[in-house]
Amino acid sequence: LGSSRGGLLPSRAACPGPAGARTKAMAFWGCALKPGQKQKVDVLLDEVLHLSQACLNEPKAGKNYVQVQVKGASYTFACLEKDKIEHNALDLFFETEATFTNKGTSEVHLSGYMEPKDAGDDGEEGEEEEEAAAVGSSTKASPKASPKATPAKAAAAATKDDDDDDDDDDEGDMDEMEEGE
């Protein structure tokens, strides 16, 4: 059982930005799991691992089950097989330590990126919710402006509209025939 930050690149903690500030950028992450191998990945408190893809490397016959263990529970999240499903797009996020396991006969490559926990939190979500609420309240019709229709009245109105549409079509056809003569 190996332990690592998992990636091909160093942790962003070792890469300070201007004036010693931490960089708030995403960093590529990758891991190669040999058949039967387990790989522990440490995720820093202020980061999230976004797992984007699992794929077979030099596939061999047989199924490969890719599993993750998080907080004591184990989950299979991909089943890869030569000439059938050799890669799988993923959208999984891990905020804590995770251990990946390859149960199969081929090497499996996992890839994704580390990102700061607050990466998408620019307050935009709250603004969108407020805008949706404002739009919703302004589009509500007053009860006086839209009287309640009973199902019988609605059905009768729909039937009348259908009859009117049929008449219009017939008249249009007649006009075309008269012009053609």
Side-chain angles (χ1 to χ4, degrees), residues 18-163:
R22 290 235 3 221
T23 304
K24 291 286 185 175
M26 293 182 242
F28 174 81
W29 177 89
C31 176
L33 291 173
K34 299 210 180 293
Q37 182 184 2
K38 288 185 177 186
Q39 180 68 45
K40 180 179 164 188
V41 179
D42 297 316
V43 180
L44 297 178
L45 288 175
D46 60 344
E47 291 184 329
V48 175
L49 169 59
H50 180 189
L51 185 58
S52 304
Q53 180 164 291
C55 68
L56 295 176
N57 182 47
E58 299 179 12
K60 295 176 178 74
K63 292 184 178 181
N64 292 269
Y65 296 94
V66 187
Q67 298 180 328
V68 65
Q69 185 175 4
V70 180
K71 296 181 181 177
S74 194
Y75 306 95
T76 299
F77 62 87
C79 177
L80 306 172
E81 188 172 4
K82 180 181 180 177
D83 297 327
K84 292 187 180 181
I85 302 173
E86 294 188 358
H87 64 90
N88 196 353
L90 304 167
D91 195 19
L92 302 174
F93 295 86
F94 300 93
E95 293 183 341
T96 61
E97 172 187 291
T99 302
F100 296 99
T101 305
N102 175 5
K103 293 193 174 189
T105 57
S106 300
E107 184 173 86
V108 175
H109 287 192
L110 303 177
S111 62
Y113 52 91
M114 292 284 188
E115 65 178 271
K117 270 192 182 174
D118 61 352
D121 190 19
D122 297 333
E124 294 175 16
E125 192 172 292
E127 291 172 12
E128 289 174 6
E129 289 173 5
E130 289 173 12
E131 288 175 17
V135 168
S137 64
S138 66
T139 58
K140 290 181 184 174
S142 72
K144 293 177 184 176
S146 58
K148 293 181 182 177
T150 63
K153 287 182 183 177
T159 304
K160 183 179 182 314
D161 287 344
D162 287 344
D163 291 342

